[in-house]
Amino acid sequence: MRTVDDLANVRTGDKGDTLILAVFPRTDEGYELLSRELTVDAVATHFAPLVTGDVRRTEMPLVSGLVFELPGVLGGGVTGSPVLDGHGKCLSYHLLSMPVPESL
């Protein structure tokens, strides 16, 4: 089984309790595949039940990137969250574990 990790690097950040994930595929083919497969619904489902609002996706074609905003995932944000990873840095690995199809 192939995962996002086989095709891309992911960076994370936070704004309050919103997790921000930036996905940077390593090839043009990977960008094409992940642009199609990493839909708002697919990413929201992968992070369920942590998501508390509408997931937003911003495409950045000039740098071959996709940015996702996932509200509520950080459970109150850095200073208000009881979770171990208030910044969400480890959650990038959760997205990297998401399965994707073997071919275009």
Side-chain angles (χ1 to χ4, degrees), residues 54-67:
D54 293 333
V55 172
R56 186 172 148 196
R57 178 177 113 160
T58 303
E59 295 182 23
M60 300 172 36
L62 294 178
V63 294
S64 299
L66 303 167
V67 177

Side-chain angles (χ1 to χ4, degrees), residues 7 21 23-24 38 41 44 52 59 72:
L7 302 169
L21 292 167
V23 180
F24 296 104
L38 294 182
D41 289 338
T52 61
E59 295 182 23

